[in-house]
Amino acid sequence: MKQKDLLYTGKAKSVYRTDAKGKLIVEFRDDITAFDGGKKDVLAKKGSYNAEVSRFIFEYLEEHGVKTHFLSMIDERRMVVRELAMVPLEVIVRNVAAGSIVRNYPFKEGTPLNPPVIVIDYKDDSRHDPMLNDDLIIALGLTTAQELAKIKTVALEINRLLSALLLKQGITLVDFKIEFGRQGRTIYLGDEISMDSMRLWDKKTGASLDKDVYRFNKGDVMATYNNVAGRITGKKSPAQNKR
Ligand code: 5GP
């Protein structure tokens, strides 16, 4: 398969057309951003850690019956995916109160949310991703009521599967953001699931194991990503083997 022209470039990934019908290539770049792009850096190897974790999670979810856009890897930072018409929603599932819901509502950080809370934002940087509700999503024509129900069911199933996977590695899945797209009438999980899109806490120490390390200058971002990628995928990277 040949990589063709650039279709779309986001804050941390680029999407390319290919010569294969219905297939695209997603490249995970080393760019890292936070606060609506207000903080930006380039961190060597970051793209490959996120690509590897996304691949591992997409394969794990597929094995458990979740339809994802993932098809195969080309190299350590590029994956072949199904071409989807993306739904401009950021679907966030929360198991523990943290981040924006602690800033915006009277939750105490660390409070368990049981059952999990789903928050859906409108994916539009120019509007700073405002929070939606079901009526707004349907009034805006972003999904049908049926599709929205399906998206929420799949999001909760992903949460159940991922929480169990991470817990085995001593990691609490605090919250995560996912995006969906359509191919025909079928809804697929798209985008990525990585340390950039999950909030992860070490179960024993409570330490942040995700992009919060970058957002809030909590330590060595790439050492954290390297370590977490190894824990999640069960593979030790060369840097870890040296220790
Ligand atoms: P919060 O709303 O607390 O800022 O974020 C909740 C969760 O969704 C966090 O795990 C965060 O990383 C993820 N998230 C929210 N918005 C975005 C976004 O625009 N991009 C990415 N990659 N993740 C996001």
Side-chain angles (χ1 to χ4, degrees):
M1 177 189 304
K2 279 213 182 82
Q3 181 168 311
K4 307 276 256 192
D5 41 316
L6 181 69
L7 182 62
Y8 168 82
T9 186
K11 292 198 282 283
K13 299 193 294 300
S14 300
V15 181
Y16 294 87
R17 290 186 204 279
T18 71
D19 58 358
K21 196 167 176 279
K23 293 182 184 176
L24 300 175
I25 290 173
V26 176
E27 180 192 18
F28 289 70
R29 305 195 315 270
D30 285 342
D31 301 276
I32 186 163
T33 72
F35 309 119
D36 256 349
K39 181 174 179 179
K40 285 187 213 182
D41 283 284
V42 178
L43 300 176
K45 283 204 69 128
K46 181 251 181 190
S48 55
Y49 294 134
N50 277 357
E52 173 61 0
V53 167
S54 284
R55 174 201 66 78
F56 183 85
I57 292 176
F58 283 140
E59 285 184 344
Y60 167 75
L61 293 175
E62 285 277 356
E63 279 164 23
H64 291 81
V66 177
K67 290 189 165 74
T68 81
H69 71 159
F70 176 77
L71 295 170
S72 59
M73 294 304 289
I74 294 183
D75 55 32
E76 62 175 23
R77 61 175 71 236
R78 287 182 303 156
M79 59 173 64
V80 182
V81 301
R82 241 176 250 281
E83 181 168 9
L84 302 179
M86 291 304 290
V87 179
L89 297 178
E90 297 195 341
V91 180
I92 296 161
V93 184
R94 300 177 178 275
N95 297 302
V96 179
S100 66
I101 62 160
V102 170
R103 287 196 301 278
N104 298 332
Y105 304 94
F107 286 111
K108 193 170 171 291
E109 185 175 72
T111 307
L113 302 170
N114 194 6
V117 171
I118 298 181
V119 173
I120 304 186
D121 292 345
Y122 183 42
K123 188 176 165 78
D124 184 338
D125 279 344
S126 70
R127 292 185 163 82
H128 309 290
D129 301 344
M131 191 189 290
L132 292 166
N133 66 23
D134 291 14
D135 285 355
L136 280 169
I137 291 168
I138 288 156
L140 285 165
L142 301 177
T143 68
T144 63
Q146 241 179 355
E147 280 176 327
L148 183 56
K150 170 82 182 169
I151 283 172
K152 287 188 190 178
T153 304
V154 176
L156 289 176
E157 176 65 0
I158 292 170
N159 182 48
R160 195 182 63 76
L161 291 164
L162 260 188
S163 293
L165 176 82
L166 294 168
L167 199 58
K168 281 192 202 146
Q169 304 305 329
I171 299 170
T172 302
L173 179 58
V174 173
D175 55 40
F176 63 99
K177 185 267 306 177
I178 45 181
E179 296 179 27
F180 292 89
R182 305 179 186 91
Q183 198 178 60
R185 287 198 185 163
T186 308
I187 297 268
Y188 290 87
L189 174 66
D191 195 50
E192 69 182 295
I193 301 189
S194 71
M195 286 71 78
D196 278 13
S197 61
M198 295 185 279
R199 181 169 280 122
L200 305 171
W201 290 351
D202 187 282
K203 187 146 176 46
K204 259 197 215 142
T205 65
S208 284
L209 304 174
D210 59 73
K211 198 158 87 173
D212 276 354
V213 177
Y214 174 72
R215 288 187 186 103
F216 304 114
N217 304 314
K218 290 182 173 192
D220 184 333
V221 183
M222 280 310 91
T224 303
Y225 275 44
N226 180 12
N227 183 273
V228 175
R231 276 168 81 172
I232 294 177
T233 63
K235 273 191 216 155
K236 293 263 188 304
S237 67
Q240 283 176 301
N241 287 337
K242 276 188 219 142
R243 281 183 206 142

